């Protein structure tokens, strides 16, 4: 009897030890999601460094970075425009506000709120090969999340289409021209865009100086002077348009490249999925990460897809694996809650900025901005106004034909209309920069308008 009890106790003890061993293995090795409980080893130093730099407040008017300039052993604050000092606390009262660039810093607060989910720690030996295990240069998991994002937003058809990654959308724009262009150098393809249009279309086409394509300017002007019969035409269609935010469609038809950089719910109502042969998107206007330099093309035809893929391969031998990892991490956050947290945040920001800008500009007879018309947004399931990335400002006084110079005299730096092949009576003002930039822009515009009709309350 005594031997039986001892045997039972021993057997139970062995079972208990075995269960604990299995639990431990599952917790730290096989559990996947629980692997974060493993004590930090090699990543601890990097994590501490990142946290310490992120904790530098720069008075809320700048940012310190791990890769920034170091002075006396500490990262230096990089201040927003018009702010200075070691901690960015000093505002220069006579400073000109910069509303020229397209840096989408307005989304920075969202990512600060999601700091832990969006952070990436990369080992020194991460993806040292040119290729992935499947012998490609594009992450299949990242492609899956890109397709998932479009499925959630319903802004583009991806089923049965090919996806190609590029260094921002900029590289893909010329890759698409190359892929669509004539192979007969005696009759090069005519590249067109409807004014006002994004200047990179012309700049890149001219810069690469190919025998197979040439830039011919505004679509409507070209069409009025030429017959499209027996002429090879490639048309850029920017929708929503940069600089004025209008939804556009092809004028000529045929070979088209749809630049959908701004086709996201925070900039425009999503009325339905875009369904075109070549569609190009960029991370910068989706999540705000312009510096990550990542874009993608959605292509219907296999031959065009392979030509674009060859272009990217010859130009860069693929996209940085570190970049693809970061984009994957960001998109995993972006699709959470079916995209609602990200797009609600960014739309509220843009909508508020447009409400405040419209309130000021409505009091002016000297300046006007583009008209906006409500459309039903399938993503938000409501009818709403667009909230474009830029204000397309017009100087209404006949003698003020150079609107950029007029605004610059009032300490506002914009981008002239001629940059977009339009009249210089127009100027583009960016509404997607930091909150500091927007507040100073609104202050300067308010000062302008106050000179027309007496002082008005600062918005």
């Amino acid at each position: 009897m005594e031997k039986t009890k001892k045997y039972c106790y021993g057997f139970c003890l062995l079972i208990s030890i075995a269960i604990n061993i299995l639990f431990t293995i599952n917790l730290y090795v096989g559990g996947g999601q629980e692997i974060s409980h493993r004590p930090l080893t090699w990543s601890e130093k990097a994590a501490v460094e990142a946290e310490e730099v992120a904790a530098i407040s720069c008075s809320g008017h700048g940012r310190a970075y791990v890769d920034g300039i170091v002075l006396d052993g500490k990262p230096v604050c990089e201040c927003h425009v018009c702010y200075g000092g070691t901690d960015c606390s000093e505002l220069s009262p006579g400073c000109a506000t910069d509303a020229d660039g397209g840096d989408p810093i307005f989304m920075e607060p969202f990512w600060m709120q999601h700091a832990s989910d969006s952070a990436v720690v990369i080992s020194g030996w991460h993806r040292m090969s040119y290729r992935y295990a499947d012998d490609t240069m594009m992450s299949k998991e990242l492609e899956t999340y890109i397709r998932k994002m479009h499925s959630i937003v319903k802004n583009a058809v991806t089923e049965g289409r090919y996806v190609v990654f590029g260094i921002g959308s900029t590289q893909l724009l010329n890759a698409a021209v190359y892929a669509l262009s004539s192979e007969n150098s005696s009759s090069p393809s005519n590249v067109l865009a409807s004014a006002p249009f994004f200047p990179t279309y012309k700049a890149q086409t001219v810069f690469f100086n190919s025998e197979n394509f040439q830039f011919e300017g505004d679509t409507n002007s070209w069409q009025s002077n030429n017959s499209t019969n027996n002429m090879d035409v490639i048309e850029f269609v920017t929708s929503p348009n940069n600089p004025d935010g209008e939804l556009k469609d092809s004028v000529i038809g045929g070979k088209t490249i749809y630049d959908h950089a701004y086709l996201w719910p925070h900039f425009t109502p999503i009325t339905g999925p875009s369904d075109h042969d070549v569609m190009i998107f960029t991370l910068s206007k989706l999540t705000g990460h312009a510096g990550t330099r990542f874009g993608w093309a959605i292509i219907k035809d296999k031959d065009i897809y392979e030509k674009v893929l060859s272009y990217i391969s010859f130009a860069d031998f693929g996209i940085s694996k570190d970049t693809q990892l970061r984009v994957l991490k960001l998109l995993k956050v972006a699709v959470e809650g079916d995209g609602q947290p990200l797009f609600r945040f960014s739309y509220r920001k843009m909508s508020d900025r447009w409400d405040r800008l419209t309130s000021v500009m409505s009091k002016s007879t000297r300046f006007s901005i583009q008209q906006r018309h409500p459309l039903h947004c399938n993503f938000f399931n409501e009818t709403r106004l667009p909230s474009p990335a830029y204000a397309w400002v017009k100087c209404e006084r006949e003698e003020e034909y150079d609107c950029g110079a007029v605004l610059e005299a009032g300490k506002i730096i914009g981008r002239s209309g001629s940059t977009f092949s339009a009249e210089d009576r127009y100027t583009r003002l960016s509404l997607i920069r930091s909150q500091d930039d927007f507040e100073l822009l609104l202050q300067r515009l308010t000062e302008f308008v106050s000179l027309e009709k007496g002082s008005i309350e600062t918005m």
Side-chain angles (χ1 to χ4, degrees):
M1 185 70 178
E2 190 67 28
K3 287 184 179 181
T4 304
K5 285 184 179 180
K6 287 182 179 180
Y7 174 80
C8 288
Y9 290 149
F11 179 75
C12 290
L13 179 61
L14 286 172
I15 292 295
S16 176
I17 291 171
I19 291 173
N20 278 281
I21 289 172
L22 290 172
F23 177 78
T24 302
I25 291 171
N26 182 68
L27 180 64
Y28 290 112
V29 178
Q33 293 182 355
E34 299 295 336
I35 199 166
S36 60
H37 291 290
R38 180 191 294 275
L40 296 179
T41 54
W42 59 266
S43 65
E44 184 174 6
K45 182 180 178 181
V48 169
E49 181 184 25
E51 291 264 5
E52 287 179 348
V53 174
I56 300 172
S57 71
C58 300
S59 302
H61 302 299
R63 198 70 61 216
Y65 299 97
V66 173
D67 61 352
I69 296 173
V70 176
L71 188 63
D72 296 329
K74 294 182 179 180
V76 173
C77 284
E78 298 179 18
C79 304
H80 294 162
V81 175
C82 295
Y83 285 87
T86 56
D87 63 350
C88 303
S89 61
E90 301 171 11
L91 174 63
S92 177
C95 176
T97 182
D98 183 0
D100 179 14
D103 284 345
I105 311 299
F106 80 103
M107 298 185 73
E108 185 184 64
F110 175 85
W111 295 106
M112 294 180 73
Q113 293 168 15
H114 295 78
S116 61
D117 291 336
S118 60
V120 179
V121 177
I122 301 177
S123 64
W125 58 92
H126 174 75
R127 295 267 180 212
M128 294 175 68
S129 171
Y130 287 115
R131 301 176 183 277
Y132 289 93
D134 60 0
D135 204 37
T136 69
M137 296 182 182
M138 297 193 303
S139 164
K140 295 299 184 186
E141 185 71 357
L142 176 53
E143 180 181 335
T144 297
Y145 271 87
I146 287 172
R147 293 178 183 274
K148 183 175 183 178
M149 173 58 75
H150 286 297
S151 175
I152 289 171
V153 177
K154 296 180 175 62
N155 62 344
V157 174
T158 62
E159 187 175 353
R161 308 298 169 88
Y162 302 95
V163 175
V164 185
F165 301 165
I167 300 178
S169 62
T170 307
Q171 184 184 47
L172 290 164
L173 295 172
N174 194 256
V177 171
Y178 160 79
L180 292 169
S181 64
S182 168
E183 295 181 359
N184 181 3
S185 60
S186 63
S187 180
S189 300
N190 299 281
V191 182
L192 305 169
S194 297
F197 57 77
F198 184 43
T200 297
Y201 303 150
K202 177 180 179 180
Q204 277 199 145
T205 307
V206 172
F207 177 81
F208 286 105
N209 193 28
S210 172
E211 293 180 344
N212 295 333
F213 51 82
Q214 58 191 14
F215 194 79
E216 290 294 330
D218 176 56
T219 307
N220 293 290
S221 299
W222 185 90
Q223 188 181 38
S224 64
N225 296 315
N226 296 276
S227 170
T228 56
N229 293 333
N230 302 318
M231 298 191 75
D232 196 70
V233 175
I234 300 172
E235 183 183 359
F236 278 111
V237 180
T238 320
S239 186
N241 195 34
N242 175 7
D244 56 20
E246 287 190 17
L247 293 173
K248 297 279 191 176
D249 210 340
S250 172
V251 174
I252 294 177
K255 296 180 181 179
T256 55
I257 301 168
Y258 274 77
D259 183 352
H260 284 324
Y262 300 90
L263 191 63
W264 298 105
H266 41 276
F267 294 128
T268 187
I270 304 300
T271 58
S274 182
D275 185 9
H276 300 287
D277 291 349
V278 179
M279 301 176 286
I280 296 177
F281 295 83
T282 173
L283 183 78
S284 66
K285 302 308 184 291
L286 165 58
T287 67
H289 293 83
T292 302
R293 306 307 304 128
F294 183 84
W296 62 94
I298 301 171
I299 300 171
K300 184 182 293 186
D301 182 80
K302 185 177 181 180
D303 289 340
I304 301 302
Y305 157 74
E306 289 180 346
K307 287 182 178 180
V308 172
L309 200 61
S310 294
Y311 181 102
I312 301 299
S313 179
F314 284 125
D316 295 293
F317 211 65
I319 309 305
S320 161
K321 304 299 180 287
D322 294 356
T323 292
Q324 294 188 56
L325 174 60
R326 189 182 191 204
V327 176
L328 174 61
K329 192 74 168 179
L330 294 170
L331 291 188
K332 284 183 176 181
V333 177
V335 301
E336 287 178 0
D338 287 337
Q340 290 290 330
L342 172 70
F343 292 118
R344 290 283 178 192
F345 174 92
S346 51
Y347 171 60
R348 279 196 296 268
K349 278 278 187 183
M350 291 305 302
S351 178
D352 176 70
R353 290 186 179 190
W354 267 99
D355 287 346
R356 296 174 65 192
L357 176 68
T358 302
S359 180
V360 171
M361 299 298 274
S362 66
K363 298 177 174 66
S364 175
T365 57
R366 186 180 184 182
F367 304 104
S368 64
I369 53 177
Q370 71 263 45
Q371 294 293 311
R372 299 179 298 146
H373 305 287
L375 292 168
H376 184 77
C377 178
N378 292 335
F379 178 76
F380 287 130
N381 194 27
E382 63 184 23
T383 299
R384 45 154 288 210
L385 287 169
S387 43
Y390 310 105
W392 189 231
V393 179
K394 181 182 180 182
C395 283
E396 296 288 352
R397 292 178 182 175
E398 187 176 349
E399 67 275 15
E400 293 181 344
Y401 54 84
D402 188 346
C403 200
V406 171
L407 291 170
E408 192 169 345
K411 296 184 173 58
I412 298 173
I413 300 171
R415 191 168 295 185
S416 64
S418 58
T419 304
F420 303 92
S421 297
E423 297 178 19
D424 275 334
R425 188 171 294 281
Y426 291 90
T427 296
R428 192 194 79 171
L429 300 180
S430 177
L431 304 179
I432 57 176
R433 292 171 64 86
S434 73
Q435 194 65 30
D436 281 342
D437 290 320
F438 178 74
E439 296 297 343
L440 192 55
L441 170 63
L442 208 64
Q443 179 183 330
R444 296 285 187 255
L445 289 171
T446 300
E447 289 166 358
F448 252 127
V449 176
S450 69
L451 297 175
E452 296 180 51
K453 297 181 178 180
S455 63
I456 63 172
E457 183 181 352
T458 301
M459 303 307 296

